Amino acid sequence: MTDQFTSDPTKAAQRMRAGSMVIPLMPWGIAAVLLMVLPFIFTANSAITIMNQMAITIIFALAYNMLLGQGGMLSFGHAVYAGVGGFACVHIMNMDDFFAGIPLPVLPIFGGLMGMGLATIVGSFSTRKAGTVFAMISLGVGELIAACSVIIVAFFGGEEGISGDRTYGMPFFGVEFLQQIEVYYLITAWLLISAALMYLYSRTPLGRMANAVRDNPERAEFLGFSARWVRFFSFVASGFFAGVAGALFAVNYEILTEENLNTTQSGLILLATFLGGVGFFFGPILGAIVFTLVQTVLSLQTELWGFYLGIVFVVTVMFFPGGLAGLIMMHVPAMRLGKLGRLGIPYLKTLGAGAVGCLGGAALIEMTFHLRHASAGDHSMTLYWITFDSHTMLPWIVAIAVTLIGFGVARATAPALAEAWNDANTPDGTPR
Amino acid sequence: MSAALELDGLKKSFGQTEIIRGVDLSIGKGERHAIIGPNGAGKSTLFNLITGRFPQSDGAIRLHGQDLAGKAPFQINRMGLSRSFQITNIFPKMTVFENVRCSLLWSMGYRYNFWSMVGRSRALTNGADQILEQINLTARRDLPAGVLSYAEQRALEIGITIAGGADVIMLDEPTAGMSHSETDYIVDLIRTVTTGKTLVMVEHDMGVVFGLADQISVLVYGEIIATGTPEAVRANPKVQEAYLGEALEAH
């Protein structure tokens, strides 16, 4: 019994603090270099558009995770703060004299302040309680402001929205932001600054207390902190960065409509953030990247991309609540033991087969969709680079067979994978 | 002796039911005061009233002479009162070290600070490590608090409770659900970490009560029927009749 409480002198090593600043700065350095060279790898205009969209979504998802992951607040209306920040920036773009006096890279600060201002007002009553009350208020406010877009036409521009021209700003060291690539560097600079600031925020006393209030608001109160104020400050900070994301959207697309702040948009950012994983700082970054790829690349391939995204989301919530980041971090113990390699082959067998099964299933869904929705007489469809007649039996038989075999093999090899997983997570020499 | 905590005609009703029916109590500075009583006597309610979890229906609570009426838990905590809970109440997803560090933040003046890094403050880190040393959890420092054993979680909660430097410490059944050896361990721990502070505790284990307390109050049906030294309370016939007889015989 007693040895359970005595400190173990051999564990002195774990008390060592990371004294050097090099290791914590490494991921940031790599990210900066990567963002710098990416446009030289993906040179197409469409690729840069996707990367711009991705960077904006990353900022927004990180801001959203200040609430969901760090603060334990589930918001169904966070697009409002990004949207309002964006609208404000388009209005500034249209204020000729004022806009001519400020360089474009400064504009996101105004968007941020606008998002922050609105978050201050809404947060003053919505952060009193977390949980269901907060979620419901966020939903209500989200609907309310989305409805305002057709009421307060002067600000939201009604159904068409409002548009502006980013190039009227004061030239920034001669750059007028006529080209996508210039906008790309503006957005990525803001991405790095925002991500770093949000990361640093999570290491401050207030950021730590946001976690404490998330875990146990009552305990936090008995430590001298008002849970409500802690939530309020997180909410306001999150509103600022959401506003920055909205401003960058305005810079990138030069148009904002009701779609940018409605509940669909709020739902999508929740989806992207959760998919990436709320438990780790880098989770929302992964989520935003994957989500943007699905939204832009997969949506070109199939009209049903939302359907697949929905399935992935439900599966994530049910089986991998840690999201992508959680899945990755799950492998750290095996990596520490140096046995990660033992998972390679079993993974390939099970997941490979599972992927084949998924492709087969997707084929069935696509064929059904084609059968029901293609114009009359249009029997020919193309799937996975194969063109065939969706009204004949053969493709159906093939698709069903592929699905069954894929999932069947995945299921048959699953025990071997579980075995390999246990092995990889057990130190050698431990009796089992 | 000046009082650290004073209750004056304190009453609490839930609907028609009066749970606390006029409690007068004065707890001196540096005293170790145990509140005992049968189940349903209102001990936990009394605790929750003092710590601001529930508002009182009538009467007054004074901490160092200051009225606590209408104060929220976080305000009462800032005035120098800290408590533990009957059901373990920690931050399960954070590490043991972070649990303690969070409880130091307010008292070390960090408050709602968002411009300095917690990891950079040597005072904060050393302070938290010292507390961990005191509660013997140094070896568990970097584990999530939720994976600790029950006794370790109770020890951690006591650490969190004392870390903020409050001078009135209230412990709600600190040894509930513990084995004999665990109980002995926690009693020693409580004795060490509350040296020089005022301790108010609710406890069922008479061994703990008589070993730790220098004053005992007996609460029965929302009223205090006796207050005094352990010997005086033990000898009090009213107490024996109401409650202690059987519990004492068992000991």
Side-chain angles (χ1 to χ4, degrees), chain A residues 1-9 11 14-17 21 69 197 199-231 233, chain B residues 51 53 73-74 77-78 82-85 89-94 98 101-103 105-106 110-118 120 125 129 133 136-142 149 151-152 157 160-161 181-182 185:
Chain A
M1 179 61 231
T2 39
D3 62 346
Q4 196 173 347
F5 292 107
T6 19
S7 46
D8 182 354
K11 292 247 179 94
Q14 70 180 196
R15 301 192 46 192
M16 265 176 32
R17 217 69 61 247
M21 285 297 289
L197 286 177
Y199 179 75
L200 291 176
Y201 177 87
S202 73
R203 321 309 299 173
T204 64
L206 189 55
R208 299 325 295 158
M209 283 315 292
N211 282 189
V213 168
R214 169 201 69 195
D215 273 15
N216 194 339
E218 180 166 54
R219 223 323 159 202
E221 291 252 326
F222 284 102
L223 296 180
F225 284 85
S226 156
R228 179 189 173 181
W229 279 105
V230 172
R231 280 194 287 260
F233 287 128
Chain B
T51 55
R53 214 182 185 192
F74 64 89
N77 180 266
R78 291 174 199 171
S82 185
R83 73 167 290 181
S84 75
F85 291 80
N89 212 334
I90 52 174
F91 305 113
K93 284 190 223 152
M94 300 166 71
E98 278 201 275
R101 188 170 64 184
C102 277
S103 53
L105 286 174
W106 190 272
Y110 282 94
R111 312 197 169 197
Y112 301 111
N113 173 317
F114 57 89
W115 50 87
S116 49
M117 301 288 111
V118 279
R120 290 286 185 83
T125 308
D129 277 332
E133 204 70 53
N136 288 331
L137 286 179
T138 307
R140 302 280 188 266
R141 186 182 191 274
D142 297 312
S149 75
E152 286 173 321
E157 182 163 12
I160 295 173
T161 307
S181 57
E182 287 171 329
Y185 172 77

Side-chain angles (χ1 to χ4, degrees), chain B residues 4-59:
Chain B
L5 190 66
E6 273 178 295
L7 310 183
D8 190 0
L10 190 65
K11 285 184 185 168
K12 176 68 185 177
S13 328
F14 292 100
Q16 296 288 326
T17 325
E18 204 169 39
I19 301 293
I20 300 294
R21 305 189 298 166
V23 167
D24 298 295
L25 185 63
S26 173
I27 296 172
K29 278 207 180 89
E31 202 173 297
R32 296 176 201 275
H33 200 111
I35 298 169
I36 61 172
N39 282 329
K43 302 185 296 291
S44 285
T45 307
L46 192 63
F47 247 56
N48 289 333
L49 289 177
I50 296 171
T51 55
R53 214 182 185 192
F54 303 149
Q56 72 252 39
S57 307
D58 197 14

Side-chain angles (χ1 to χ4, degrees), chain A residues 325-396:
Chain A
L327 279 178
I328 292 173
M329 296 310 279
M330 230 167 80
H331 294 84
V332 170
M335 205 175 74
R336 290 233 172 94
L337 294 173
K339 294 165 89 175
L340 199 59
R342 299 195 194 178
L343 286 171
I345 302 292
Y347 260 154
L348 209 61
K349 281 185 190 158
T350 309
L351 298 185
V356 169
C358 287
L359 289 178
L364 286 172
I365 294 165
E366 293 291 330
M367 281 155 67
T368 311
F369 182 70
H370 186 264
L371 209 59
R372 306 296 303 169
H373 294 273
S375 49
D378 178 12
H379 289 188
S380 127
M381 70 178 288
T382 306
L383 199 63
Y384 310 135
W385 305 279
I386 304 165
T387 305
F388 54 87
D389 184 344
S390 64
H391 286 60
T392 54
M393 286 302 285
L394 183 66
W396 287 88

Side-chain angles (χ1 to χ4, degrees), chain B:
Chain B
M1 187 163 59
S2 63
L5 190 66
E6 273 178 295
L7 310 183
D8 190 0
L10 190 65
K11 285 184 185 168
K12 176 68 185 177
S13 328
F14 292 100
Q16 296 288 326
T17 325
E18 204 169 39
I19 301 293
I20 300 294
R21 305 189 298 166
V23 167
D24 298 295
L25 185 63
S26 173
I27 296 172
K29 278 207 180 89
E31 202 173 297
R32 296 176 201 275
H33 200 111
I35 298 169
I36 61 172
N39 282 329
K43 302 185 296 291
S44 285
T45 307
L46 192 63
F47 247 56
N48 289 333
L49 289 177
I50 296 171
T51 55
R53 214 182 185 192
F54 303 149
Q56 72 252 39
S57 307
D58 197 14
I61 307 166
R62 280 185 291 275
L63 178 65
H64 302 307
Q66 278 178 289
D67 193 6
L68 296 186
K71 292 252 191 320
F74 64 89
Q75 291 165 319
I76 295 173
N77 180 266
R78 291 174 199 171
M79 292 166 67
L81 184 147
S82 185
R83 73 167 290 181
S84 75
F85 291 80
Q86 195 173 351
I87 298 158
T88 312
N89 212 334
I90 52 174
F91 305 113
K93 284 190 223 152
M94 300 166 71
T95 65
V96 172
F97 172 74
E98 278 201 275
N99 267 267
V100 177
R101 188 170 64 184
C102 277
S103 53
L104 285 170
L105 286 174
W106 190 272
S107 59
M108 290 187 77
Y110 282 94
R111 312 197 169 197
Y112 301 111
N113 173 317
F114 57 89
W115 50 87
S116 49
M117 301 288 111
V118 279
R120 290 286 185 83
S121 164
R122 184 129 309 167
L124 209 49
T125 308
N126 291 345
D129 277 332
Q130 263 169 30
I131 303 271
L132 286 181
E133 204 70 53
Q134 274 186 26
I135 56 174
N136 288 331
L137 286 179
T138 307
R140 302 280 188 266
R141 186 182 191 274
D142 297 312
L143 289 178
V147 307
L148 297 186
S149 75
Y150 177 70
E152 286 173 321
Q153 291 194 9
R154 297 299 304 200
L156 175 60
E157 182 163 12
I158 288 171
I160 295 173
T161 307
I162 57 143
D167 47 14
V168 178
I169 307 289
M170 302 189 57
L171 304 178
D172 195 354
E173 297 199 23
T175 70
M178 285 192 181
S179 71
H180 257 295
S181 57
E182 287 171 329
T183 301
D184 292 345
Y185 172 77
I186 289 286
V187 168
D188 278 345
L189 181 65
I190 294 172
R191 194 174 288 128
T192 334
V193 298
T194 59
T195 311
K197 300 182 181 199
T198 311
L199 173 70
V200 186
M201 58 190 267
V202 163
E203 184 54 63
H204 270 299
D205 187 324
M206 287 307 134
V208 174
V209 170
F210 286 104
L212 209 50
D214 35 51
Q215 288 282 309
I216 296 178
S217 292
V218 184
L219 190 71
V220 177
Y221 292 118
E223 281 173 314
I224 288 189
I225 60 165
T227 297
T229 60
E231 293 72 34
V233 167
R234 205 196 295 250
N236 188 318
K238 264 204 297 187
V239 175
Q240 288 192 344
E241 184 192 336
Y243 169 63
L244 257 181
E246 39 198 303
L248 274 184
E249 273 159 33
H251 238 271

Side-chain angles (χ1 to χ4, degrees), chain A residues 138-270:
Chain A
S138 75
L139 186 64
V141 170
E143 285 291 350
L144 183 147
I145 299 208
C148 280
S149 62
V150 286
I151 302 167
I152 312 174
V153 178
F155 186 76
F156 295 103
E159 278 176 16
E160 314 89 79
I162 54 167
S163 50
D165 190 329
R166 64 175 175 245
T167 60
Y168 291 168
M170 192 171 103
F172 182 68
F173 296 109
V175 179
E176 289 183 59
F177 298 97
L178 292 160
Q179 292 167 357
Q180 273 295 85
I181 186 76
E182 292 164 344
V183 176
Y184 170 84
Y185 283 113
L186 188 161
I187 291 176
T188 48
W190 268 100
L191 167 61
L192 279 174
I193 294 167
S194 312
L197 286 177
M198 282 187 264
Y199 179 75
L200 291 176
Y201 177 87
S202 73
R203 321 309 299 173
T204 64
L206 189 55
R208 299 325 295 158
M209 283 315 292
N211 282 189
V213 168
R214 169 201 69 195
D215 273 15
N216 194 339
E218 180 166 54
R219 223 323 159 202
E221 291 252 326
F222 284 102
L223 296 180
F225 284 85
S226 156
R228 179 189 173 181
W229 279 105
V230 172
R231 280 194 287 260
F232 174 75
F233 287 128
S234 293
F235 192 76
V236 170
S238 173
F240 178 82
F241 290 108
V244 168
L248 293 171
F249 186 96
V251 167
N252 191 36
Y253 294 96
E254 300 179 304
I255 180 168
L256 265 108
T257 64
E258 184 261 350
E259 273 180 33
N260 294 110
L261 45 69
N262 62 18
T263 35
T264 311
Q265 195 60 33
S266 300
L268 290 180
I269 201 65
L270 161 61

